[in-house]
Every structure is written in C-alpha cells, then in structure tokens.
Amino acid sequence: MSESYSAPPNPPLPSPITGSIDPSPGLPQRWLVQVCQHRSCLRNRSDEVLIAFRDHQSPQILVAASGCMGQCSSGPTVHILPDDTWYCRLHPEDVAVIVEQHFGQGQPVAAYLHPRFHHS
C-alpha cells in the first residue's frame, strides 16, 4: 500500500504594510530598494530618504544604500527591484506614500517616477 505524500502549499506572506495576508497574488514576494548615497544625492537628503525606507524594512522589503546610479541631476534616486521602477527627487516624507501604494497595492507612484525610465 503506497500512498504519495504531497506537502501543503506555502501559506501567503503577511503584507509588509498591514501585517495581514496580502490579497494580491500578482505582487512580488520581496522588493529590493536601492537608495543612492553618492555626493549629489546626499546633498539632496538621500541619507534621510534611506532612513525613511529603512523604517519600513521587513522580510518583504530589503533596503540598501547604493553607490552612484548615474542619475546625479535627478537625486535622490531610488531603484526598486524586481519591477525595475526608478523614482527621482524624493524627499523623506514621500516614502510612506511609496510604501503604501507601490508595495501595498502594486501601483508605482506616478508623481515620483523618473521620466528618463518611465514615459507617460
């Protein structure tokens, strides 16, 4: 008598925003947020943007300081993977909107998208 065993499916991960189960199966399981910390971005408070993103770091949101991303005239610059989204000219107070809308709802925040990479 041989029965095959099948493991139960992995449970969904909690939402990085609410802590509850994320109802949107199309969203990535994890994001990498790269925040430029090079000279011209630092002059525009990218260190504070990095701290603001780190306040939202979780198992689903990894935040990392980055070297120059080549967008010096548009800093502070933030690059989000895996969806290859670029944000520019961010302020620390913009981060909460990005976390809620981009990570929580799967919708990039159009007002902060870098026009060199995202055309309307």
Side-chain angles (χ1 to χ4, degrees), residues 9-44:
N10 290 331
L13 293 173
S15 165
I17 308 306
T18 64
S20 62
I21 299 302
D22 186 351
S24 305
L27 295 179
Q29 292 294 317
R30 292 188 182 150
W31 288 273
L32 171 61
V33 179
Q34 299 172 310
V35 183
C36 182
Q37 296 297 288
H38 198 61
R39 287 185 301 252
S40 56
C41 284
L42 281 171
R43 279 193 294 271
N44 290 302

PDB file of all heavy atoms in Angstrom, residues 9-44:
ATOM      1  N   PRO A   9       0.606  23.591   0.338  1.00  0.00           N
ATOM      2  CA  PRO A   9       1.210  24.764  -0.308  1.00  0.00           C
ATOM      3  C   PRO A   9       1.722  25.740   0.741  1.00  0.00           C
ATOM      4  O   PRO A   9       1.250  25.763   1.868  1.00  0.00           O
ATOM      5  CB  PRO A   9       0.056  25.373  -1.111  1.00  0.00           C
ATOM      6  CG  PRO A   9      -1.189  24.854  -0.464  1.00  0.00           C
ATOM      7  CD  PRO A   9      -0.836  23.517   0.137  1.00  0.00           C
ATOM      8  N   ASN A  10       2.724  26.528   0.337  1.00  0.00           N
ATOM      9  CA  ASN A  10       3.238  27.547   1.243  1.00  0.00           C
ATOM     10  C   ASN A  10       2.158  28.576   1.510  1.00  0.00           C
ATOM     11  O   ASN A  10       1.489  29.031   0.583  1.00  0.00           O
ATOM     12  CB  ASN A  10       4.454  28.252   0.638  1.00  0.00           C
ATOM     13  CG  ASN A  10       5.660  27.352   0.567  1.00  0.00           C
ATOM     14  OD1 ASN A  10       5.795  26.456   1.385  1.00  0.00           O
ATOM     15  ND2 ASN A  10       6.512  27.586  -0.397  1.00  0.00           N
ATOM     16  N   PRO A  11       2.007  28.975   2.771  1.00  0.00           N
ATOM     17  CA  PRO A  11       0.995  29.995   3.056  1.00  0.00           C
ATOM     18  C   PRO A  11       1.445  31.343   2.518  1.00  0.00           C
ATOM     19  O   PRO A  11       2.640  31.592   2.379  1.00  0.00           O
ATOM     20  CB  PRO A  11       0.940  30.011   4.591  1.00  0.00           C
ATOM     21  CG  PRO A  11       2.277  29.505   5.022  1.00  0.00           C
ATOM     22  CD  PRO A  11       2.722  28.540   3.947  1.00  0.00           C
ATOM     23  N   PRO A  12       0.500  32.223   2.196  1.00  0.00           N
ATOM     24  CA  PRO A  12       0.896  33.559   1.723  1.00  0.00           C
ATOM     25  C   PRO A  12       1.619  34.320   2.819  1.00  0.00           C
ATOM     26  O   PRO A  12       1.373  34.101   3.996  1.00  0.00           O
ATOM     27  CB  PRO A  12      -0.431  34.224   1.361  1.00  0.00           C
ATOM     28  CG  PRO A  12      -1.498  33.383   1.961  1.00  0.00           C
ATOM     29  CD  PRO A  12      -0.928  32.039   2.249  1.00  0.00           C
ATOM     30  N   LEU A  13       2.526  35.197   2.417  1.00  0.00           N
ATOM     31  CA  LEU A  13       3.259  36.018   3.379  1.00  0.00           C
ATOM     32  C   LEU A  13       2.399  37.177   3.858  1.00  0.00           C
ATOM     33  O   LEU A  13       1.553  37.683   3.115  1.00  0.00           O
ATOM     34  CB  LEU A  13       4.530  36.572   2.727  1.00  0.00           C
ATOM     35  CG  LEU A  13       5.591  35.546   2.378  1.00  0.00           C
ATOM     36  CD1 LEU A  13       6.706  36.217   1.580  1.00  0.00           C
ATOM     37  CD2 LEU A  13       6.149  34.906   3.624  1.00  0.00           C
ATOM     38  N   PRO A  14       2.623  37.627   5.082  1.00  0.00           N
ATOM     39  CA  PRO A  14       1.884  38.805   5.554  1.00  0.00           C
ATOM     40  C   PRO A  14       2.240  40.033   4.731  1.00  0.00           C
ATOM     41  O   PRO A  14       3.340  40.150   4.224  1.00  0.00           O
ATOM     42  CB  PRO A  14       2.371  38.972   6.994  1.00  0.00           C
ATOM     43  CG  PRO A  14       3.014  37.693   7.359  1.00  0.00           C
ATOM     44  CD  PRO A  14       3.492  37.066   6.083  1.00  0.00           C
ATOM     45  N   SER A  15       1.292  40.929   4.605  1.00  0.00           N
ATOM     46  CA  SER A  15       1.526  42.183   3.901  1.00  0.00           C
ATOM     47  C   SER A  15       2.577  42.996   4.634  1.00  0.00           C
ATOM     48  O   SER A  15       2.540  43.093   5.858  1.00  0.00           O
ATOM     49  CB  SER A  15       0.227  42.977   3.820  1.00  0.00           C
ATOM     50  OG  SER A  15       0.490  44.306   3.471  1.00  0.00           O
ATOM     51  N   PRO A  16       3.538  43.631   3.915  1.00  0.00           N
ATOM     52  CA  PRO A  16       4.530  44.475   4.585  1.00  0.00           C
ATOM     53  C   PRO A  16       3.901  45.727   5.198  1.00  0.00           C
ATOM     54  O   PRO A  16       4.482  46.353   6.050  1.00  0.00           O
ATOM     55  CB  PRO A  16       5.507  44.839   3.468  1.00  0.00           C
ATOM     56  CG  PRO A  16       4.748  44.654   2.215  1.00  0.00           C
ATOM     57  CD  PRO A  16       3.735  43.567   2.484  1.00  0.00           C
ATOM     58  N   ILE A  17       2.700  46.068   4.785  1.00  0.00           N
ATOM     59  CA  ILE A  17       2.055  47.276   5.270  1.00  0.00           C
ATOM     60  C   ILE A  17       1.197  46.986   6.500  1.00  0.00           C
ATOM     61  O   ILE A  17       1.338  47.600   7.537  1.00  0.00           O
ATOM     62  CB  ILE A  17       1.161  47.912   4.175  1.00  0.00           C
ATOM     63  CG1 ILE A  17       1.925  48.097   2.880  1.00  0.00           C
ATOM     64  CG2 ILE A  17       0.545  49.218   4.652  1.00  0.00           C
ATOM     65  CD1 ILE A  17       3.203  48.859   2.991  1.00  0.00           C
ATOM     66  N   THR A  18       0.307  46.032   6.377  1.00  0.00           N
ATOM     67  CA  THR A  18      -0.688  45.818   7.421  1.00  0.00           C
ATOM     68  C   THR A  18      -0.363  44.659   8.340  1.00  0.00           C
ATOM     69  O   THR A  18      -0.953  44.534   9.397  1.00  0.00           O
ATOM     70  CB  THR A  18      -2.060  45.551   6.788  1.00  0.00           C
ATOM     71  OG1 THR A  18      -1.984  44.328   6.041  1.00  0.00           O
ATOM     72  CG2 THR A  18      -2.482  46.681   5.872  1.00  0.00           C
ATOM     73  N   GLY A  19       0.534  43.767   7.922  1.00  0.00           N
ATOM     74  CA  GLY A  19       0.804  42.572   8.705  1.00  0.00           C
ATOM     75  C   GLY A  19      -0.202  41.472   8.433  1.00  0.00           C
ATOM     76  O   GLY A  19      -0.040  40.348   8.877  1.00  0.00           O
ATOM     77  N   SER A  20      -1.255  41.760   7.684  1.00  0.00           N
ATOM     78  CA  SER A  20      -2.238  40.737   7.361  1.00  0.00           C
ATOM     79  C   SER A  20      -1.854  40.054   6.052  1.00  0.00           C
ATOM     80  O   SER A  20      -0.938  40.476   5.366  1.00  0.00           O
ATOM     81  CB  SER A  20      -3.630  41.363   7.252  1.00  0.00           C
ATOM     82  OG  SER A  20      -3.652  42.300   6.208  1.00  0.00           O
ATOM     83  N   ILE A  21      -2.568  39.009   5.706  1.00  0.00           N
ATOM     84  CA  ILE A  21      -2.257  38.279   4.477  1.00  0.00           C
ATOM     85  C   ILE A  21      -2.520  39.169   3.274  1.00  0.00           C
ATOM     86  O   ILE A  21      -3.565  39.816   3.162  1.00  0.00           O
ATOM     87  CB  ILE A  21      -3.101  36.989   4.390  1.00  0.00           C
ATOM     88  CG1 ILE A  21      -2.786  36.081   5.582  1.00  0.00           C
ATOM     89  CG2 ILE A  21      -2.865  36.272   3.078  1.00  0.00           C
ATOM     90  CD1 ILE A  21      -1.340  35.683   5.709  1.00  0.00           C
ATOM     91  N   ASP A  22      -1.567  39.222   2.371  1.00  0.00           N
ATOM     92  CA  ASP A  22      -1.666  40.063   1.183  1.00  0.00           C
ATOM     93  C   ASP A  22      -2.664  39.446   0.206  1.00  0.00           C
ATOM     94  O   ASP A  22      -2.450  38.342  -0.272  1.00  0.00           O
ATOM     95  CB  ASP A  22      -0.286  40.175   0.545  1.00  0.00           C
ATOM     96  CG  ASP A  22      -0.264  41.162  -0.611  1.00  0.00           C
ATOM     97  OD1 ASP A  22      -1.316  41.635  -1.043  1.00  0.00           O
ATOM     98  OD2 ASP A  22       0.842  41.439  -1.076  1.00  0.00           O
ATOM     99  N   PRO A  23      -3.729  40.149  -0.138  1.00  0.00           N
ATOM    100  CA  PRO A  23      -4.729  39.597  -1.039  1.00  0.00           C
ATOM    101  C   PRO A  23      -4.338  39.681  -2.518  1.00  0.00           C
ATOM    102  O   PRO A  23      -5.063  39.217  -3.364  1.00  0.00           O
ATOM    103  CB  PRO A  23      -5.958  40.470  -0.768  1.00  0.00           C
ATOM    104  CG  PRO A  23      -5.381  41.787  -0.387  1.00  0.00           C
ATOM    105  CD  PRO A  23      -4.096  41.467   0.347  1.00  0.00           C
ATOM    106  N   SER A  24      -3.217  40.286  -2.831  1.00  0.00           N
ATOM    107  CA  SER A  24      -2.827  40.498  -4.228  1.00  0.00           C
ATOM    108  C   SER A  24      -1.756  39.499  -4.645  1.00  0.00           C
ATOM    109  O   SER A  24      -0.571  39.734  -4.456  1.00  0.00           O
ATOM    110  CB  SER A  24      -2.299  41.923  -4.409  1.00  0.00           C
ATOM    111  OG  SER A  24      -3.241  42.851  -3.965  1.00  0.00           O
ATOM    112  N   PRO A  25      -2.164  38.380  -5.231  1.00  0.00           N
ATOM    113  CA  PRO A  25      -1.185  37.352  -5.585  1.00  0.00           C
ATOM    114  C   PRO A  25      -0.221  37.764  -6.685  1.00  0.00           C
ATOM    115  O   PRO A  25       0.818  37.157  -6.838  1.00  0.00           O
ATOM    116  CB  PRO A  25      -2.044  36.172  -6.029  1.00  0.00           C
ATOM    117  CG  PRO A  25      -3.355  36.766  -6.408  1.00  0.00           C
ATOM    118  CD  PRO A  25      -3.520  38.015  -5.588  1.00  0.00           C
ATOM    119  N   GLY A  26      -0.501  38.813  -7.432  1.00  0.00           N
ATOM    120  CA  GLY A  26       0.374  39.240  -8.508  1.00  0.00           C
ATOM    121  C   GLY A  26       1.563  40.074  -8.050  1.00  0.00           C
ATOM    122  O   GLY A  26       2.460  40.354  -8.830  1.00  0.00           O
ATOM    123  N   LEU A  27       1.590  40.490  -6.779  1.00  0.00           N
ATOM    124  CA  LEU A  27       2.690  41.315  -6.289  1.00  0.00           C
ATOM    125  C   LEU A  27       3.910  40.454  -5.996  1.00  0.00           C
ATOM    126  O   LEU A  27       3.774  39.290  -5.619  1.00  0.00           O
ATOM    127  CB  LEU A  27       2.282  42.043  -5.005  1.00  0.00           C
ATOM    128  CG  LEU A  27       1.171  43.079  -5.140  1.00  0.00           C
ATOM    129  CD1 LEU A  27       0.855  43.687  -3.777  1.00  0.00           C
ATOM    130  CD2 LEU A  27       1.553  44.161  -6.106  1.00  0.00           C
ATOM    131  N   PRO A  28       5.110  41.028  -6.149  1.00  0.00           N
ATOM    132  CA  PRO A  28       6.313  40.262  -5.799  1.00  0.00           C
ATOM    133  C   PRO A  28       6.294  39.882  -4.322  1.00  0.00           C
ATOM    134  O   PRO A  28       5.697  40.574  -3.500  1.00  0.00           O
ATOM    135  CB  PRO A  28       7.457  41.247  -6.078  1.00  0.00           C
ATOM    136  CG  PRO A  28       6.889  42.298  -6.952  1.00  0.00           C
ATOM    137  CD  PRO A  28       5.423  42.363  -6.646  1.00  0.00           C
ATOM    138  N   GLN A  29       6.962  38.789  -3.999  1.00  0.00           N
ATOM    139  CA  GLN A  29       7.075  38.389  -2.599  1.00  0.00           C
ATOM    140  C   GLN A  29       8.069  39.255  -1.851  1.00  0.00           C
ATOM    141  O   GLN A  29       7.973  39.403  -0.649  1.00  0.00           O
ATOM    142  CB  GLN A  29       7.484  36.918  -2.509  1.00  0.00           C
ATOM    143  CG  GLN A  29       6.412  35.976  -3.000  1.00  0.00           C
ATOM    144  CD  GLN A  29       5.171  36.005  -2.126  1.00  0.00           C
ATOM    145  OE1 GLN A  29       5.259  36.016  -0.915  1.00  0.00           O
ATOM    146  NE2 GLN A  29       4.006  36.050  -2.754  1.00  0.00           N
ATOM    147  N   ARG A  30       9.043  39.814  -2.576  1.00  0.00           N
ATOM    148  CA  ARG A  30      10.070  40.660  -1.959  1.00  0.00           C
ATOM    149  C   ARG A  30      10.466  41.779  -2.913  1.00  0.00           C
ATOM    150  O   ARG A  30      10.440  41.610  -4.120  1.00  0.00           O
ATOM    151  CB  ARG A  30      11.321  39.846  -1.646  1.00  0.00           C
ATOM    152  CG  ARG A  30      11.112  38.845  -0.580  1.00  0.00           C
ATOM    153  CD  ARG A  30      12.427  38.225  -0.202  1.00  0.00           C
ATOM    154  NE  ARG A  30      12.171  37.221   0.805  1.00  0.00           N
ATOM    155  CZ  ARG A  30      12.891  36.148   0.964  1.00  0.00           C
ATOM    156  NH1 ARG A  30      13.917  35.920   0.196  1.00  0.00           N
ATOM    157  NH2 ARG A  30      12.592  35.284   1.905  1.00  0.00           N
ATOM    158  N   TRP A  31      10.876  42.899  -2.313  1.00  0.00           N
ATOM    159  CA  TRP A  31      11.404  44.027  -3.077  1.00  0.00           C
ATOM    160  C   TRP A  31      12.777  44.384  -2.537  1.00  0.00           C
ATOM    161  O   TRP A  31      13.038  44.272  -1.344  1.00  0.00           O
ATOM    162  CB  TRP A  31      10.519  45.266  -2.921  1.00  0.00           C
ATOM    163  CG  TRP A  31       9.209  45.199  -3.626  1.00  0.00           C
ATOM    164  CD1 TRP A  31       8.945  45.548  -4.917  1.00  0.00           C
ATOM    165  CD2 TRP A  31       7.967  44.786  -3.077  1.00  0.00           C
ATOM    166  NE1 TRP A  31       7.615  45.379  -5.193  1.00  0.00           N
ATOM    167  CE2 TRP A  31       7.000  44.901  -4.074  1.00  0.00           C
ATOM    168  CE3 TRP A  31       7.574  44.313  -1.822  1.00  0.00           C
ATOM    169  CZ2 TRP A  31       5.663  44.577  -3.877  1.00  0.00           C
ATOM    170  CZ3 TRP A  31       6.242  43.986  -1.624  1.00  0.00           C
ATOM    171  CH2 TRP A  31       5.312  44.118  -2.635  1.00  0.00           C
ATOM    172  N   LEU A  32      13.635  44.867  -3.426  1.00  0.00           N
ATOM    173  CA  LEU A  32      14.910  45.454  -3.050  1.00  0.00           C
ATOM    174  C   LEU A  32      14.830  46.935  -3.387  1.00  0.00           C
ATOM    175  O   LEU A  32      14.550  47.308  -4.533  1.00  0.00           O
ATOM    176  CB  LEU A  32      16.069  44.811  -3.812  1.00  0.00           C
ATOM    177  CG  LEU A  32      17.430  45.503  -3.661  1.00  0.00           C
ATOM    178  CD1 LEU A  32      17.881  45.509  -2.201  1.00  0.00           C
ATOM    179  CD2 LEU A  32      18.466  44.855  -4.554  1.00  0.00           C
ATOM    180  N   VAL A  33      15.051  47.774  -2.382  1.00  0.00           N
ATOM    181  CA  VAL A  33      15.020  49.227  -2.552  1.00  0.00           C
ATOM    182  C   VAL A  33      16.454  49.715  -2.449  1.00  0.00           C
ATOM    183  O   VAL A  33      17.087  49.588  -1.404  1.00  0.00           O
ATOM    184  CB  VAL A  33      14.154  49.897  -1.461  1.00  0.00           C
ATOM    185  CG1 VAL A  33      14.148  51.407  -1.650  1.00  0.00           C
ATOM    186  CG2 VAL A  33      12.745  49.332  -1.467  1.00  0.00           C
ATOM    187  N   GLN A  34      16.981  50.260  -3.544  1.00  0.00           N
ATOM    188  CA  GLN A  34      18.329  50.804  -3.567  1.00  0.00           C
ATOM    189  C   GLN A  34      18.233  52.325  -3.534  1.00  0.00           C
ATOM    190  O   GLN A  34      17.579  52.920  -4.393  1.00  0.00           O
ATOM    191  CB  GLN A  34      19.066  50.362  -4.830  1.00  0.00           C
ATOM    192  CG  GLN A  34      19.228  48.862  -4.936  1.00  0.00           C
ATOM    193  CD  GLN A  34      19.793  48.467  -6.280  1.00  0.00           C
ATOM    194  OE1 GLN A  34      19.303  48.883  -7.320  1.00  0.00           O
ATOM    195  NE2 GLN A  34      20.826  47.649  -6.256  1.00  0.00           N
ATOM    196  N   VAL A  35      18.885  52.933  -2.542  1.00  0.00           N
ATOM    197  CA  VAL A  35      18.845  54.383  -2.374  1.00  0.00           C
ATOM    198  C   VAL A  35      20.254  54.924  -2.583  1.00  0.00           C
ATOM    199  O   VAL A  35      21.178  54.588  -1.838  1.00  0.00           O
ATOM    200  CB  VAL A  35      18.323  54.766  -0.969  1.00  0.00           C
ATOM    201  CG1 VAL A  35      18.228  56.287  -0.848  1.00  0.00           C
ATOM    202  CG2 VAL A  35      16.973  54.114  -0.696  1.00  0.00           C
ATOM    203  N   CYS A  36      20.433  55.761  -3.592  1.00  0.00           N
ATOM    204  CA  CYS A  36      21.745  56.324  -3.901  1.00  0.00           C
ATOM    205  C   CYS A  36      22.269  57.146  -2.723  1.00  0.00           C
ATOM    206  O   CYS A  36      21.551  57.965  -2.159  1.00  0.00           O
ATOM    207  CB  CYS A  36      21.666  57.190  -5.149  1.00  0.00           C
ATOM    208  SG  CYS A  36      23.285  57.872  -5.615  1.00  0.00           S
ATOM    209  N   GLN A  37      23.551  56.932  -2.407  1.00  0.00           N
ATOM    210  CA  GLN A  37      24.206  57.667  -1.326  1.00  0.00           C
ATOM    211  C   GLN A  37      25.464  58.373  -1.831  1.00  0.00           C
ATOM    212  O   GLN A  37      26.392  58.626  -1.066  1.00  0.00           O
ATOM    213  CB  GLN A  37      24.544  56.714  -0.171  1.00  0.00           C
ATOM    214  CG  GLN A  37      23.324  56.089   0.493  1.00  0.00           C
ATOM    215  CD  GLN A  37      22.441  57.130   1.143  1.00  0.00           C
ATOM    216  OE1 GLN A  37      22.799  57.696   2.171  1.00  0.00           O
ATOM    217  NE2 GLN A  37      21.280  57.394   0.551  1.00  0.00           N
ATOM    218  N   HIS A  38      25.480  58.682  -3.133  1.00  0.00           N
ATOM    219  CA  HIS A  38      26.621  59.386  -3.705  1.00  0.00           C
ATOM    220  C   HIS A  38      26.472  60.890  -3.452  1.00  0.00           C
ATOM    221  O   HIS A  38      25.424  61.367  -3.036  1.00  0.00           O
ATOM    222  CB  HIS A  38      26.745  59.065  -5.193  1.00  0.00           C
ATOM    223  CG  HIS A  38      28.089  59.370  -5.758  1.00  0.00           C
ATOM    224  ND1 HIS A  38      29.235  58.770  -5.326  1.00  0.00           N
ATOM    225  CD2 HIS A  38      28.457  60.240  -6.722  1.00  0.00           C
ATOM    226  CE1 HIS A  38      30.263  59.251  -5.998  1.00  0.00           C
ATOM    227  NE2 HIS A  38      29.817  60.143  -6.861  1.00  0.00           N
ATOM    228  N   ARG A  39      27.513  61.641  -3.725  1.00  0.00           N
ATOM    229  CA  ARG A  39      27.610  63.060  -3.346  1.00  0.00           C
ATOM    230  C   ARG A  39      26.396  63.911  -3.696  1.00  0.00           C
ATOM    231  O   ARG A  39      25.830  64.580  -2.832  1.00  0.00           O
ATOM    232  CB  ARG A  39      28.860  63.689  -3.968  1.00  0.00           C
ATOM    233  CG  ARG A  39      30.139  63.263  -3.327  1.00  0.00           C
ATOM    234  CD  ARG A  39      31.294  64.031  -3.940  1.00  0.00           C
ATOM    235  NE  ARG A  39      31.364  63.790  -5.371  1.00  0.00           N
ATOM    236  CZ  ARG A  39      32.303  63.057  -5.953  1.00  0.00           C
ATOM    237  NH1 ARG A  39      33.267  62.536  -5.250  1.00  0.00           N
ATOM    238  NH2 ARG A  39      32.295  62.875  -7.244  1.00  0.00           N
ATOM    239  N   SER A  40      26.001  63.948  -4.961  1.00  0.00           N
ATOM    240  CA  SER A  40      24.918  64.867  -5.321  1.00  0.00           C
ATOM    241  C   SER A  40      23.583  64.431  -4.730  1.00  0.00           C
ATOM    242  O   SER A  40      22.764  65.275  -4.360  1.00  0.00           O
ATOM    243  CB  SER A  40      24.817  65.050  -6.836  1.00  0.00           C
ATOM    244  OG  SER A  40      24.662  63.816  -7.470  1.00  0.00           O
ATOM    245  N   CYS A  41      23.356  63.140  -4.605  1.00  0.00           N
ATOM    246  CA  CYS A  41      22.122  62.679  -3.947  1.00  0.00           C
ATOM    247  C   CYS A  41      22.166  63.010  -2.453  1.00  0.00           C
ATOM    248  O   CYS A  41      21.151  63.423  -1.878  1.00  0.00           O
ATOM    249  CB  CYS A  41      21.915  61.184  -4.162  1.00  0.00           C
ATOM    250  SG  CYS A  41      21.315  60.779  -5.835  1.00  0.00           S
ATOM    251  N   LEU A  42      23.342  62.844  -1.843  1.00  0.00           N
ATOM    252  CA  LEU A  42      23.461  63.179  -0.419  1.00  0.00           C
ATOM    253  C   LEU A  42      23.189  64.656  -0.165  1.00  0.00           C
ATOM    254  O   LEU A  42      22.595  65.018   0.860  1.00  0.00           O
ATOM    255  CB  LEU A  42      24.846  62.795   0.105  1.00  0.00           C
ATOM    256  CG  LEU A  42      25.055  61.319   0.411  1.00  0.00           C
ATOM    257  CD1 LEU A  42      26.524  61.044   0.702  1.00  0.00           C
ATOM    258  CD2 LEU A  42      24.171  60.872   1.573  1.00  0.00           C
ATOM    259  N   ARG A  43      23.605  65.517  -1.088  1.00  0.00           N
ATOM    260  CA  ARG A  43      23.327  66.958  -0.940  1.00  0.00           C
ATOM    261  C   ARG A  43      21.827  67.238  -0.918  1.00  0.00           C
ATOM    262  O   ARG A  43      21.376  68.250  -0.407  1.00  0.00           O
ATOM    263  CB  ARG A  43      23.982  67.754  -2.066  1.00  0.00           C
ATOM    264  CG  ARG A  43      25.448  68.018  -1.841  1.00  0.00           C
ATOM    265  CD  ARG A  43      25.983  69.076  -2.801  1.00  0.00           C
ATOM    266  NE  ARG A  43      25.968  68.644  -4.189  1.00  0.00           N
ATOM    267  CZ  ARG A  43      26.964  67.992  -4.797  1.00  0.00           C
ATOM    268  NH1 ARG A  43      28.069  67.698  -4.128  1.00  0.00           N
ATOM    269  NH2 ARG A  43      26.879  67.658  -6.053  1.00  0.00           N
ATOM    270  N   ASN A  44      21.053  66.326  -1.487  1.00  0.00           N
ATOM    271  CA  ASN A  44      19.596  66.482  -1.535  1.00  0.00           C
ATOM    272  C   ASN A  44      18.881  65.558  -0.543  1.00  0.00           C
ATOM    273  O   ASN A  44      17.738  65.166  -0.771  1.00  0.00           O
ATOM    274  CB  ASN A  44      19.092  66.240  -2.964  1.00  0.00           C
ATOM    275  CG  ASN A  44      19.499  67.352  -3.891  1.00  0.00           C
ATOM    276  OD1 ASN A  44      19.177  68.503  -3.656  1.00  0.00           O
ATOM    277  ND2 ASN A  44      20.232  67.013  -4.940  1.00  0.00           N
TER     278      ASN A  44
END
